[in-house]
Amino acid sequence: MIKPSSWSSREESLILLNAYLDDELDAASALDVERRLAADPALRAEHDRIAELRSTLASHLSAQRASDDFKRRIAAIAEPSRDVVVALPPRPSRTYDWRQMAAAAAVAAAITAGGMYGVLRQNSGVNEIAAIVADHQRALLAAQPFDIASSDRHTVKPWFDSKLALSPQVVDLAGAGFPLAGGRVEIVDGKPVPVLVYQRRAHIISVVAVPRAGQMSSTAPALQTTKDGYSVIRWFGRDFEYFAVSDLPELELREFVSRWREVTPGG
Amino acid sequence: MDERQRFSEAVLPYVDDALSLARWLTGNAADAEDVVQEACLRAFGAIASVQNANARAWLLAIVRNTAFSWMAKNRPKAITTTDDAGIFEQAGLEMAEPQASPEAILIRKADAAQLENAIAALPLAYREVLVLREIEDLSYREISKVLSIPVGTVMSRLARARSSLIQRIGMAGEGKAGAA
């Protein structure tokens, strides 16, 4: 860094001249600069150039204006969350006493096979999330994060039908700032599942729809977790369990999910 | 006062300013929104520590630091401008010759695109000082706080940034005049 002692008098003059134009000098120093200006035509010319630069910058460079949508997003940071998002425990907590765990498992096993399934599902959920995030990352590395590119849900839905003989809700959220980009097929748990791809600025959102035949849609709060820096939000719709994955800020991904769920109250 | 109230007094009024700074640091509007949103989340987390009197400079400091970590993560190449800055620093601060004063006219004739290009070409360390002074209208003391550098450094960087802009715009203007 430049030390005052190493300033040439020229440099010092220029720096003081800048400070003078910025109205940062005390009265005595300002007088000193004015004396130098009167005696030095080169300094005077520099004064004119800097003053001209300042006024040109002021007249040409306008400040950014935040869009209403952006302002709403920022204001929402301080709002109590609109729909309750519950943190998804990353793995069964170690604070559980093993005896309680064993008892719970025994009870579950004793009552029904369905109960047992419930106990196991927790773990498979964690693995599923790891697989889904890994797939999202792979998709981002590929030339295109989708197998079919279309912003038209009437193109994407039949494409899934033809590929997989099943198709999830394809929701149009372009109006909310999340245009549809396309779809792809992913393997989760050894089975091919549809993935919808949405866009938000330069970010990609993958919505993985894992078929859960016969499942009723649920208004249960979405579950949220993060994995490798990606946010994952998981919720239940009719016949599908959905996972939204993205590197978007959590808040925006929540907004995406709550818009999605607004549009599909029954699905 | 609750956190929400503080946030709406200390952060929301300055979102435009925050966007402008982020836009000049990152170079584009979409990235600027990402940076500002993250900065506002950080600001909300630290809202208890702010006094309203200096809220704007406080928020800009957070935006600036967020922009740097954002750029380090998203485009590590852009952030390695320390060498540029060093060369820029050593080049010395020279005054143009007195007969070159028609430059003042070229500067007046410069259009917004020329100005933007010239500012974007400044090394980051100089660009941020210039933007905080000319666009955010902060005082030297505020800039020194936002950037955690001494006031003397603010002064020399600002002088260099302006000299460099004048030279660039002068050259671009001459090129244009020559071609016409």
Side-chain angles (χ1 to χ4, degrees):
Chain A
M1 212 74 300
I2 298 177
K3 294 178 187 67
S5 60
S6 73
W7 287 348
S8 68
S9 62
R10 256 318 188 211
E11 288 193 346
E12 193 194 36
S13 293
L14 265 185
I15 287 166
L16 288 177
L17 175 61
N18 274 275
Y20 172 76
L21 282 160
D22 288 319
D23 207 11
E24 293 267 356
L25 293 183
D26 60 36
S29 309
L31 273 176
D32 178 45
V33 170
E34 281 165 12
R35 267 195 299 273
R36 292 195 205 191
L37 280 172
D40 184 344
L43 196 63
R44 180 87 225 160
E46 196 60 37
H47 171 280
D48 294 348
R49 281 190 286 266
I50 297 171
E52 198 58 61
L53 177 71
R54 296 205 65 208
S55 76
T56 308
L57 288 175
S59 63
H60 281 54
L61 299 180
S62 48
Q64 297 283 304
R65 290 268 161 267
S67 65
D68 290 346
D69 174 55
F70 186 70
K71 279 188 203 149
R72 265 197 301 278
R73 268 192 277 150
I74 296 301
I77 289 172
E79 301 290 330
S81 192
R82 199 150 50 110
D83 61 341
V84 186
V85 177
V86 184
L88 186 66
R91 55 183 59 85
S93 165
R94 278 174 301 164
T95 57
Y96 285 126
D97 189 291
W98 68 269
R99 272 177 237 107
Q100 288 176 344
M101 297 276 283
V107 168
I111 297 172
T112 58
M116 192 65 200
Y117 177 74
V119 170
L120 293 177
R121 277 265 306 120
Q122 286 244 328
N123 259 327
S124 89
V126 171
N127 292 337
E128 249 166 25
I129 284 171
I132 283 166
V133 169
D135 195 276
H136 177 76
Q137 287 171 308
R138 267 197 305 280
L140 294 180
L141 291 175
Q144 284 187 319
F146 36 69
D147 300 328
I148 175 174
S150 174
S151 59
D152 182 1
R153 64 202 180 100
H154 302 296
T155 307
V156 175
K157 199 169 161 59
W159 182 80
F160 281 129
D161 265 329
S162 68
K163 278 266 178 195
L164 301 173
L166 54 85
S167 69
Q169 292 263 356
V170 180
V171 179
D172 183 359
L173 293 173
F178 300 98
L180 183 64
R184 67 172 190 273
V185 173
E186 205 171 273
I187 306 294
V188 172
D189 232 356
K191 291 182 209 75
V193 299
V195 181
L196 299 163
V197 181
Y198 290 84
Q199 233 168 344
R200 176 74 157 189
R201 300 190 304 281
H203 303 273
I204 293 294
I205 305 169
S206 293
V207 179
V208 182
V210 179
R212 303 274 186 234
Q215 175 185 277
M216 299 304 283
S217 94
S218 163
T219 52
L223 302 167
Q224 176 163 5
T225 188
T226 53
K227 166 94 181 132
D228 301 341
Y230 292 87
S231 300
V232 182
I233 298 182
R234 169 184 177 187
W235 73 99
F236 298 94
R238 181 166 20 96
D239 292 334
F240 287 93
E241 180 177 358
Y242 294 95
F243 297 81
V245 191
S246 182
D247 62 343
L248 270 178
E250 267 180 36
L251 198 79
E252 274 181 274
L253 192 61
R254 281 188 208 176
E255 186 196 339
F256 172 80
V257 170
S258 69
R259 295 292 179 106
W260 172 297
R261 297 184 81 184
E262 272 166 24
V263 178
T264 58
Chain B
M1 202 191 314
D2 70 348
E3 292 187 334
R4 198 172 144 193
Q5 176 82 13
R6 288 188 82 96
F7 189 76
S8 69
E9 284 175 12
V11 175
L12 296 186
Y14 311 118
V15 169
D16 287 347
D17 299 328
L19 265 186
S20 298
L21 177 60
R23 153 84 176 67
W24 282 107
L25 293 180
T26 63
N28 77 72
D31 292 345
E33 287 198 349
D34 271 8
V35 165
V36 170
Q37 182 156 340
E38 200 182 322
C40 289
L41 281 165
R42 288 192 197 181
F44 185 57
I47 199 75
S49 70
V50 69
Q51 270 126 37
N52 282 349
N54 57 14
R56 187 161 164 274
W58 171 80
L59 180 65
L60 292 176
I62 297 177
V63 168
R64 185 261 182 182
N65 292 335
T66 307
F68 272 64
S69 47
W70 187 93
M71 285 189 283
K73 192 176 106 197
N74 290 288
R75 42 177 120 111
K77 276 181 192 162
I79 205 86
T80 54
T81 48
T82 33
D83 284 353
D84 286 8
I87 292 162
F88 200 75
E89 201 103 43
Q90 282 159 20
L93 192 52
E94 282 169 25
M95 242 184 273
E97 295 302 307
Q99 61 263 35
S101 66
E103 275 177 357
I105 297 160
L106 292 175
I107 294 162
R108 195 175 311 156
K109 284 185 176 165
D111 56 29
Q114 262 176 296
L115 292 175
E116 294 211 5
N117 290 338
I119 295 173
L122 289 174
L124 198 50
Y126 294 83
R127 197 182 338 144
E128 61 182 1
V129 173
L130 183 93
V131 168
L132 288 173
R133 175 69 207 130
E134 300 289 15
I135 293 161
E136 305 290 1
D137 205 27
L138 296 190
S139 71
Y140 287 8
R141 196 161 299 281
E142 287 171 317
I143 297 172
S144 116
K145 276 198 186 141
V146 167
L147 302 180
S148 304
I149 54 176
V151 170
T153 307
V154 172
M155 293 171 77
S156 63
R157 285 190 185 172
L158 184 59
R160 280 155 198 279
R162 283 177 175 153
S163 291
S164 168
L165 277 188
I166 288 168
Q167 276 177 15
R168 277 171 203 279
I169 295 167
M171 284 187 299
E174 275 166 12
K176 241 186 197 173

